[in-house]
Amino acid sequence: MFDFNSNNQPSGHDFSRRAFIRVGGLAPLGFGLSSLLASEAARAKDGSQELTARAKSVLLVYLGGGLSHHDSFDPKPDASEEVRGKYKTIETNVPGLRIGELLPRMSQTMDKVCLVRSGAHNNDHHETATNWVLSGRFGTPFGDWPAMGAVASHEFGFDGTIPPYVAIPRNPSFTWELGKSAFLGGRHESFKVGDPNDKSFRVRDLFAPEQLPDSRVQRRQSFLKTIDRLAERVEGSDAIQSYDQYQQRATSMVLSPKAREAFAIEKESDEIRDRYGRNTFGQSCLMARRLIESGVRFATVNYAGWDHHAKIFESLDKKLPEFDLGFSALIEDMDRRGLLESTLVVCMGEFGRTPKVNKDAGRDHWGPAASLLFAGAGVKPGVVIGATDRDGAFVTEKPFAPHDVSYTILSSLGIDPRKHLFTADGRPVEILENGRWMQELFA
Amino acid sequence: MLSTHFHGRMLSFAALAIAAGWFSCVPIRQAVAQLPDMPSFGNNVEPVLTRFGCNSGSCHGKLAGQNGFRLSLRGYAPEEDFKSLCEEEAGRRLNLIDPDKSLLLLKSTGQMPHGGGKLFDINSEAYQVLSKWIASGAGGPRSEDPHVVDLNVTPSSLSLEISQSTLLQVHASYSDGTKRDVTWLSRFHSNDAAFATVSPTGELIAKRHGEVSAVASFQGLVDTVVLTMPFSSTINEEQYTILGDSPANRAIDQHVMAKLKLLHIPPSRPCDDSTYLRRVMLDLCGTLPTADEIREFLTNASVDKREKLVDRLLERPEFIDYWTLMFGDLLQNRKERDHDVRGAKGVRAFHTWIQNQVAINRPWNEFARDVITASGSSESNPAVGYYVVTVGEKQAAESEVADSVAQAFLGTRIGCAKCHNHPLEKYTQDDYYHFISYFSQVVLDRKSPNDGHTLLSHGTQHLKNLQRQLQKSEEELAKLRSEAVDDKKIEEKLASIKRQTDEVEKARLSPPMVRQPRTGKQLSPQGLDRRPAEIVAGSDPRVRLAEWLTSQDNKAFSSSIVNRLWKHFFAVGLVESVDDLRDTNPPSNQPLLDSMAKELIQSHFNLRHVMKLIATSQTYQLSSDTLTENAGDTRFYSHYYAKRLPGEVLSDAITQATGVSDVFQGYPLGTRATQLPGPQIDSYFLTTFGRSDRVTACSCERSGDVTLAQLLHLQNSEALLDKLRKDGGNLNGWIAETESIDLLLDKCFLTSLSRYPTNEERESLKAAFEAADRKEVAIDLYWAILNSKEFTFNH
């Protein structure tokens, strides 16, 4: 409904910025970015358990393309051969739980995670489903709704020298970029870290392209001050204030040891880097851990390439071990460092894959069933929730839709999913239209 | 309590009302007198559901409803709502025997748990309406009920001091000639709560100096009130003088000044020559002036040099390139996402087509007409590309084409009306489907580039199928004839062909129609002004559409394009946003918008004429420096609003300043960013600086936002550093050939900031040069310049 009656200032819209520009006085410096500078507080609005912030950050490992649940976390050893596929199952350190044999390290890590075998929805289009699961709202393939990370960025703002929302190495994409900030605008897009496995890895533009002596750095800043007097002559311009604010942010990020430190993956020991795996995925997980430690509120590790319509077992023979190594390392490492308490870790794709292996020895898109992993932030570890039928085709217990997952993720951060945001044309929309708190995940 | 006698009942109500205290502040006598014996579902009940938010988009009005109860959004489908209330859930929502026990009343008064909370009191006006309706048998919408035909809010315009308030009144006129005060049933909305708020009961409170409009809505109709809150500074008449009587002064400045005077906002002083030169060149051509051009302009003593400059700029190739880019955005010239059929080649072809229109200053009505009626192969008519992108793989009447056309050419967002009536405008779902009906006879025969060219033809898929069958039959006939078969077979074939020919003719002449998905009715083409189009059977309905759309009488067509042009130069449209023109979103200066639209029409839709008026107006030549008294103005043009340069323009400016070109894959070295045909060309810089992806016709696609990634890029990008250091780039050249530091400073400043250094800057910078390595200092200086707002903004 339109905001007829309330005094809600539309957020992220020109109105709220102008409200604070007074005639006759310097507008409060950077007011227009109050949403960026505002400190966040746990928002237990009505005392309900749901909205209490349980996590300071979210770490989302996104398996673009769609993870085959039959061959990983929801194997069906008793089904027919064309359904159960090539792999056998192995025991895990959760009594009664067996998973695919290519996940030995995960089998010893399942006691730290919660396995949900009942992700379900009715869409099998990559872009549409990806945008759906990343935002919690069903829309067009082009992404009409902001990804959860962008919402987090919008709600928490820039707290210190690290951007609140990062993507490692970049956003998911097929033909075009997905999981974007939609109407929340450019300032809430994820900060793209790049590939930390690159030998010459450097965050794009984060470091000066050449080593400059302090004297030259100072000189540049002093020249900038001398020349750039526009702000002195023009009051009341939101664009100018934004520019100055971001310029300062950029400079402090570059100059701040803390910011540079956060991205300095080379500081990790060889041992730990090997443990995560010397590949893009493994190093991205390690980078995500570092960034969460440094204060990033929402980190997405984009691990694509699961779309195996043909020769799936050949591909998974290589990919599952890589996943196994990296993700188990991530969970162990975060646990050891005490990060799981304050971080919600989620691992999911945009859908599962078809129960029957097709004529090209592959599996196709399958919305009605998928497996997801959760850990940290009060999630019950060592538990399996939900189940699929004998063929892993349809959910028989506790189905969860993408909006339920998003509802839970946002609520964990203390963000009220029913809160209104404002689109570019002033239309108020709730962050999520549907969805419920996945009570079953929590103790 | 409830007697059956009308008067008795009224007395009971009155007594209860007085005793209980009324929810709204409407006089009892008036409200009570309005309530008929059998309240009408459409005229009494539905408005209550709308007024108290029951059918709002966050409650029961959303598509999925709320907790199993769904109403149409803001009551656009009363017949459905009646069903939901009466027939669903075994009728438990209404209790005809004991109305007070109806769920509808128990929940809305908070007597039972209700997610929406308590909406009104027991025995409030709203309660009375609903309970009386239930008690009278809960009748449904009747076709004989009068309906609202007009809505009026009073006052329609007024002036207030800050913190002063006024109570708005809303009257509805009905088809039976009656008039009703519906203030308590109206919903109110301020177009900018920072400037004025309006309470649910219609109390309008002035908050800040300036001007704002508020909207009252009732039963799908809307009306607007304009509130002016002048600043308190005293007026100095001199400040508002218009220095001349040029066409621009008359068309533009008199209106701007009148508004500023009304609001007591003094204008800033005029800008100097070097500021003007840079500003107008960036706005018209997307390029910086060269050092020589600056020197020439500054020393030129002729009185009309600025006007002559504008004339020259309008003819430059860079002007053509820049406006081709702008129109490329408007017409969504890009590759398709899925199964692209034109390829980059098609994008380039459409780009060239647009370029031709801009180059010959094609009248806007003809330009628009050619796009809307484009037919044939995308190769021979690149404008067909517009349909390839907006229709895509769908049927035209189910695609985005109507949304795009309305947004691009009329500045109107009718998309909302696809599923429900437009919330703040009079467009209904029927209006939407009548409009898209114009496109119901567009057939796009898509072919991937290897297989041939995509063809747009007039007709329907059904017709095409029949034509194909007919052709097949004719081929079979020819075959039969050549095989010298039985005459009988030939006769049969001939008969079959005759039948098929008749069917084809029937299909060809069938009138364009589209099925309205909610009502199931077939709707014929009709403009948004609801006048039916007369379409000759068998002709392309888009021809009529183009006629209606580009007509001189179509205010939206002329207003929207001049508003876009206005925004391009002034950063803020007369209507914001530029694709949201509607009665309930009035321009900040109506006489000015009308004047500009008139100029466009009288000049035969000459866009350059309008641009020249803008560029030579006194208003456009105001400084961006603010005065204390006008720093808070962001809508009335008391000063030039500094704006970040668009991505392509900034990229080219850096190229121009450094003398080192960008490399764009597939294009010759030296190609400027403003010359690129579409967003498919890879460029981190352009993406980061908000280039339009042209996914939709929304003006929001191009972003002028400032972001962190942009600032990081300007500070640290290797590409930028490379340009600063490159052999053959400007800096190296100047250092090699320039002895005097003064001259070196001049070159740096003129080439990048389009001005000379100030004395203060000169002193301080000279000292720096003398103290260290010249080359390093020059790079540091240029780095600072390219990172400054003075460089990255137009001001």
Side-chain angles (χ1 to χ4, degrees):
Chain A
M1 79 180 197
F2 270 73
D3 190 30
F4 282 95
N5 302 329
S6 83
N7 285 320
N8 263 351
Q9 294 291 0
S11 52
H13 193 282
D14 278 345
F15 298 161
S16 67
R17 290 183 226 140
R18 279 210 296 275
F20 290 75
I21 294 169
R22 294 185 298 275
V23 177
L26 267 180
L29 227 206
F31 169 71
L33 307 168
S34 73
S35 63
L36 293 190
L37 304 177
S39 57
E40 81 284 0
R43 286 166 221 226
K45 271 211 188 136
D46 48 15
S48 81
Q49 195 201 26
E50 288 182 20
L51 285 174
T52 316
R54 294 156 181 268
K56 182 151 185 279
S57 325
V58 169
L59 200 168
L60 171 62
V61 173
Y62 186 69
L63 307 178
L67 171 71
S68 163
H69 54 291
H70 290 82
D71 303 308
S72 57
F73 294 99
D74 194 13
K76 300 292 174 182
D78 301 327
S80 62
E81 197 190 326
E82 59 176 348
V83 169
R84 72 171 181 262
K86 168 177 144 177
Y87 304 118
K88 304 216 171 5
T89 61
I90 51 176
E91 262 180 19
T92 67
N93 60 4
V94 172
L97 173 62
R98 295 180 75 88
I99 60 178
E101 63 176 326
L102 290 191
L103 300 166
R105 289 184 190 266
M106 279 310 295
S107 75
Q108 300 311 304
T109 320
M110 295 311 284
D111 62 336
K112 297 193 171 63
V113 307
C114 174
L115 169 59
V116 171
R117 282 176 162 162
S118 50
H121 62 68
N122 58 3
N123 187 275
D124 63 358
H125 184 246
H126 278 305
E127 287 85 352
T128 311
T130 301
N131 282 325
W132 190 2
V133 308
L134 290 179
S135 68
R137 286 194 78 142
F138 183 78
T140 71
F142 305 123
D144 306 321
W145 304 103
M148 290 180 279
V151 172
S153 163
H154 180 265
E155 294 302 299
F156 299 133
F158 218 114
D159 182 26
T161 48
I162 310 273
Y165 173 33
V166 304
I168 317 159
R170 65 192 71 82
N171 273 5
S173 71
F174 281 89
T175 323
W176 61 89
E177 210 183 347
L178 304 166
K180 294 181 73 167
S181 60
F183 54 78
L184 291 181
R187 62 179 54 175
H188 297 298
E189 289 290 358
S190 60
F191 182 80
K192 281 82 175 165
V193 174
D195 183 354
N197 192 45
D198 221 336
K199 261 213 280 292
S200 57
F201 167 69
R202 260 182 36 215
V203 173
R204 181 142 205 176
D205 302 334
L206 182 59
F207 298 93
E210 49 175 1
Q211 278 302 1
L212 286 181
D214 271 349
S215 58
R216 282 191 71 182
V217 173
Q218 303 292 12
R219 186 163 66 202
R220 287 184 176 192
Q221 292 298 325
S222 126
F223 281 169
L224 192 55
K225 251 218 210 47
T226 306
I227 297 159
D228 200 6
R229 315 293 274 268
L230 197 59
E232 287 166 30
R233 305 194 312 261
V234 181
E235 272 186 46
S237 165
D238 188 59
I240 286 178
Q241 282 158 28
S242 299
Y243 193 94
D244 282 338
Q245 200 70 25
Y246 276 114
Q247 194 170 59
Q248 281 169 39
R249 287 278 182 222
T251 308
S252 47
M253 265 186 86
V254 173
L255 296 179
S256 144
K258 186 176 172 227
R260 303 171 79 123
E261 184 69 23
F263 294 99
I265 198 169
E266 67 278 3
K267 297 237 165 112
E268 297 283 346
S269 67
D270 277 337
E271 203 191 319
I272 199 85
R273 292 193 79 172
D274 289 342
R275 172 62 186 90
Y276 273 83
R278 294 286 188 157
N279 50 64
T280 303
F281 172 62
Q283 299 304 301
S284 295
C285 287
L286 176 55
M287 177 61 85
R289 189 218 82 206
R290 287 183 71 82
L291 292 179
I292 296 278
E293 274 174 323
S294 309
V296 163
R297 307 304 293 270
F298 202 108
T300 307
V301 171
N302 283 297
Y303 184 32
W306 294 92
D307 192 29
H308 305 123
H309 290 282
K311 300 195 188 150
I312 185 169
F313 303 112
E314 271 181 47
S315 308
L316 290 181
D317 280 348
K318 292 197 279 276
K319 213 162 166 75
L320 279 175
E322 192 177 85
F323 171 79
D324 187 49
L325 186 63
F327 194 72
S328 62
L330 177 68
I331 299 291
E332 271 172 33
D333 201 15
M334 290 191 72
D335 188 31
R336 190 171 43 236
R337 296 170 84 97
L339 286 172
L340 279 187
E341 262 179 62
S342 53
T343 313
L344 178 66
V345 181
V346 182
C347 177
M348 65 180 179
E350 67 264 43
F351 31 59
R353 301 201 81 78
T354 45
K356 291 215 187 109
V357 176
N358 64 27
K359 62 173 169 58
D360 301 318
R363 296 191 198 260
D364 304 310
H365 308 167
W366 188 250
S371 288
L372 298 78
L373 298 171
F374 292 82
V379 168
K380 285 190 294 206
V383 163
V384 180
I385 294 177
T388 52
D389 59 25
R390 195 196 48 170
D391 287 334
F394 295 98
V395 168
T396 51
E397 271 175 52
K398 299 230 186 311
F400 295 113
H403 36 245
D404 298 321
V405 174
S406 298
Y407 192 102
T408 306
I409 291 175
L410 291 171
S411 304
S412 301
L413 287 170
I415 299 173
D416 179 5
R418 294 276 181 259
K419 179 178 171 176
H420 284 89
L421 301 173
F422 289 82
T423 64
D425 56 357
R427 188 168 144 230
V429 289
E430 289 166 313
I431 297 175
L432 293 183
E433 193 178 36
N434 298 309
R436 71 168 183 86
W437 173 250
M438 289 164 73
Q439 177 60 48
E440 297 83 343
L441 289 185
F442 297 93
Chain B
M1 174 196 110
L2 296 172
S3 77
T4 49
H5 194 274
F6 177 80
H7 293 301
R9 177 173 290 171
M10 284 303 106
L11 282 173
S12 308
F13 278 155
L16 278 164
I18 293 163
W22 282 72
F23 180 81
S24 79
C25 51
V26 172
I28 294 166
R29 177 180 47 79
Q30 194 175 3
V32 154
Q34 284 169 15
L35 201 60
D37 228 350
M38 280 179 70
S40 145
F41 182 80
N43 286 328
N44 297 115
V45 174
E46 193 76 85
V48 168
L49 301 178
T50 311
R51 164 66 177 79
F52 291 93
C54 314
N55 55 21
S56 68
S58 52
C59 302
H60 299 287
K62 58 171 166 291
L63 205 56
Q66 186 80 33
N67 296 328
F69 178 37
R70 183 179 173 267
L71 292 171
S72 65
L73 184 64
R74 283 183 296 277
Y76 72 84
E79 64 287 349
E80 285 176 18
D81 295 341
F82 177 64
K83 257 186 112 169
S84 298
L85 277 168
C86 298
E87 296 173 15
E88 279 183 5
E89 297 283 330
R92 42 189 268 275
R93 297 193 172 115
L94 306 179
N95 187 328
L96 295 181
I97 315 292
D98 190 355
D100 292 329
K101 295 276 186 295
S102 308
L103 272 185
L104 180 69
L105 293 176
L106 292 174
K107 290 210 159 196
S108 49
T109 52
Q111 293 176 79
M112 266 186 75
H114 178 224
K118 175 173 157 181
L119 298 173
F120 43 78
D121 287 319
I122 299 172
N123 296 325
S124 60
E125 176 90 43
Y127 191 93
Q128 305 297 359
V129 170
L130 297 180
S131 76
K132 188 163 187 197
W133 171 68
I134 298 168
S136 70
R142 296 177 297 229
S143 53
E144 63 268 24
D145 280 340
H147 56 272
V148 192
V149 293
D150 199 17
L151 197 72
N152 268 302
V153 63
T154 46
S156 60
S157 68
L158 74 155
S159 214
L160 286 177
E161 302 279 323
I162 304 303
S163 304
Q164 268 193 326
S165 69
T166 194
L167 221 47
L168 298 173
Q169 266 210 317
V170 188
H171 284 89
S173 307
Y174 287 80
S175 52
D176 63 357
T178 57
K179 224 173 148 190
R180 230 174 106 191
D181 182 327
V182 294
T183 309
W184 80 278
L185 281 171
S186 299
R187 289 178 69 93
F188 296 95
H189 164 74
S190 162
N191 276 343
D192 193 339
F195 284 85
T197 56
V198 58
S199 76
T201 49
E203 193 191 8
L204 184 64
I205 306 174
K207 290 270 187 232
R208 268 187 65 194
H209 298 293
E211 201 170 76
V212 68
S213 46
V215 178
S217 76
F218 173 78
Q219 295 285 77
L221 291 185
V222 288
D223 197 21
T224 313
V225 51
V226 179
L227 172 63
T228 306
M229 296 149 297
F231 288 85
S232 40
S233 28
T234 46
I235 301 181
N236 176 354
E237 284 288 340
E238 270 176 35
Q239 286 177 303
Y240 302 93
T241 319
I242 298 173
L243 311 156
D245 190 35
S246 68
N249 291 147
R250 278 175 273 121
I252 293 173
D253 300 312
Q254 61 160 319
H255 302 296
V256 172
M257 286 302 178
K259 184 64 103 182
L260 289 177
K261 211 162 152 193
L262 180 70
L263 292 169
H264 295 228
I265 303 174
S268 292
R269 59 177 166 71
C271 69
D272 62 30
D273 274 344
S274 65
T275 302
Y276 181 76
L277 176 62
R278 181 178 192 267
R279 178 189 296 178
V280 77
M281 223 160 153
L282 284 169
D283 278 343
L284 277 177
C285 299
T287 54
L288 292 172
T290 62
D292 285 337
E293 281 170 335
I294 299 165
R295 284 189 197 103
E296 194 285 323
F297 192 71
L298 292 179
T299 51
N300 184 333
S302 47
V303 140
D304 61 351
K305 69 177 173 183
R306 289 191 183 188
E307 194 193 325
K308 289 251 166 34
L309 170 67
V310 170
D311 285 335
R312 279 200 309 278
L313 294 180
L314 290 172
E315 299 294 328
R316 279 186 50 165
E318 293 92 337
F319 169 85
I320 297 171
D321 290 330
Y322 191 27
W323 288 92
T324 305
L325 178 72
M326 295 289 104
F327 284 109
D329 282 355
L330 190 70
L331 300 175
Q332 300 173 246
N333 187 20
R334 58 165 165 87
K335 283 172 74 168
E336 294 174 88
R337 303 305 187 162
D338 272 332
H339 313 132
D340 177 60
V341 295
R342 287 187 305 155
K345 198 159 159 236
V347 174
R348 279 197 298 271
F350 193 24
H351 176 258
T352 305
W353 185 89
I354 295 172
Q355 198 172 42
N356 290 340
Q357 312 309 312
V358 175
I360 60 173
N361 195 24
R362 192 91 192 281
W364 178 238
N365 57 335
E366 295 175 18
F367 190 159
R369 188 193 64 209
D370 279 2
V371 173
I372 291 166
T373 59
S375 283
S377 98
S378 59
E379 198 218 5
S380 58
N381 185 5
V384 165
Y386 184 73
Y387 282 89
V388 171
V389 164
T390 54
V391 171
E393 294 178 294
K394 300 194 174 134
Q395 297 291 314
E398 287 159 18
S399 72
E400 315 265 294
V401 68
D403 296 36
S404 285
V405 165
Q407 212 168 9
F409 297 107
L410 298 171
T412 307
R413 296 181 179 145
I414 56 170
C416 306
K418 197 167 185 166
C419 305
H420 53 72
N421 291 354
H422 197 292
L424 279 181
E425 190 50 299
K426 60 185 186 315
Y427 299 131
T428 63
Q429 206 181 5
D430 278 357
D431 289 326
Y432 180 89
Y433 284 95
H434 273 299
F435 190 68
I436 203 167
S437 188
Y438 279 110
F439 301 96
S440 58
Q441 291 184 347
V442 167
V443 177
L444 206 54
D445 185 12
R446 298 167 56 89
K447 286 209 165 69
S448 73
N450 292 335
D451 299 334
H453 295 289
T454 296
L455 193 70
L456 189 155
S457 48
H458 167 236
T460 58
Q461 202 53 55
H462 176 61
L463 172 64
K464 297 297 162 197
N465 292 341
L466 289 176
Q467 284 171 332
R468 252 199 303 276
Q469 282 170 25
L470 174 60
Q471 190 181 14
K472 198 161 157 236
S473 293
E474 281 170 348
E475 283 164 10
E476 283 165 2
L477 176 68
K479 190 157 176 272
L480 289 177
R481 283 198 163 124
S482 73
E483 286 166 5
V485 298
D486 194 352
D487 271 352
K488 187 152 180 277
K489 284 217 174 95
I490 290 184
E491 266 175 48
E492 275 172 17
K493 192 50 81 177
L494 279 171
S496 168
I497 285 176
K498 168 106 191 9
R499 267 194 320 270
Q500 286 177 320
T501 307
D502 286 343
E503 276 183 49
V504 164
E505 189 59 9
K506 191 162 150 223
R508 193 183 72 80
L509 293 175
S510 73
M513 290 283 191
V514 139
R515 188 180 165 274
Q516 212 268 44
R518 182 171 62 85
T519 61
K521 288 212 187 87
Q522 294 288 335
L523 300 180
S524 58
Q526 193 173 284
L528 293 172
D529 57 0
R530 296 187 182 154
R531 268 201 293 243
E534 285 162 23
I535 301 191
V536 173
S539 71
D540 187 343
R542 297 176 306 158
V543 173
R544 276 280 182 265
L545 171 63
E547 274 171 28
W548 169 80
L549 193 116
T550 61
S551 148
Q552 288 190 9
D553 300 325
N554 191 334
K555 272 192 86 179
F557 179 66
S558 44
S559 300
S560 66
I561 190 67
V562 299
N563 189 46
R564 283 180 192 274
L565 292 181
W566 186 272
K567 177 166 182 146
H568 177 91
F569 290 88
F570 287 104
V572 176
L574 292 167
V575 178
E576 276 289 342
S577 55
V578 295
D579 38 34
D580 196 14
L581 266 64
R582 47 182 162 88
D583 289 339
T584 47
N585 186 21
S588 56
N589 190 327
Q590 186 76 58
L592 177 54
L593 182 63
D594 291 343
S595 162
M596 299 299 294
K598 190 161 149 214
E599 286 291 335
L600 180 71
I601 293 170
Q602 289 183 343
S603 66
H604 305 292
F605 292 97
N606 182 340
L607 296 174
R608 287 190 202 183
H609 168 73
V610 173
M611 292 188 205
K612 181 171 174 183
L613 285 174
I614 290 174
T616 53
S617 69
Q618 188 171 310
T619 306
Y620 181 72
Q621 295 176 67
L622 294 173
S623 170
S624 56
D625 295 356
T626 51
L627 304 172
T628 317
E629 297 86 350
N630 71 18
D633 160 42
T634 51
R635 287 305 298 268
F636 304 103
Y637 314 104
S638 59
H639 54 281
Y640 182 80
Y641 302 129
K643 57 188 190 252
R644 204 207 78 196
L645 295 176
E648 291 89 336
V649 175
L650 183 59
S651 181
D652 288 345
I654 293 174
T655 294
Q656 212 176 334
T658 57
V660 179
S661 290
D662 291 310
V663 174
F664 295 112
Q665 199 69 269
Y667 290 84
L669 191 63
T671 306
R672 284 176 290 113
T674 45
Q675 291 175 312
L676 296 175
Q680 73 273 11
I681 293 119
D682 203 36
S683 163
Y684 179 76
F685 187 97
L686 294 180
T687 310
T688 306
F689 280 87
R691 161 175 69 177
S692 168
D693 279 333
R694 302 179 174 175
V695 178
T696 65
C698 181
S699 55
C700 55
E701 289 265 343
R702 177 170 289 278
S703 168
D705 279 355
V706 177
T707 68
L708 175 65
Q710 290 167 9
L711 268 308
L712 280 172
H713 190 70
L714 286 174
Q715 286 189 12
N716 299 312
S717 89
E718 284 203 40
L720 191 61
L721 177 66
D722 187 57
K723 289 190 177 196
L724 292 174
R725 287 197 300 214
K726 208 174 183 85
D727 272 319
N730 284 343
L731 279 182
N732 280 344
W734 295 334
I735 288 163
E737 72 199 21
T738 315
E739 282 294 334
S740 117
I741 292 177
D742 272 312
L743 280 180
L744 178 60
L745 285 176
D746 285 352
K747 285 184 182 170
C748 285
F749 274 71
L750 286 174
T751 310
S752 60
L753 297 175
S754 313
R755 64 171 175 86
Y756 286 98
T758 64
N759 290 334
E760 204 191 317
E761 286 167 338
R762 201 182 280 281
E763 255 186 68
S764 146
L765 294 171
K766 256 175 112 159
F769 269 97
E770 276 151 7
D773 176 76
R774 204 175 267 214
K775 194 162 171 190
E776 285 186 356
V777 177
I779 289 179
D780 289 347
L781 172 61
Y782 233 47
W783 177 95
I785 287 176
L786 296 183
N787 270 271
S788 70
K789 296 180 290 297
E790 201 190 323
F791 180 76
T792 55
F793 277 57
N794 196 355
H795 49 83

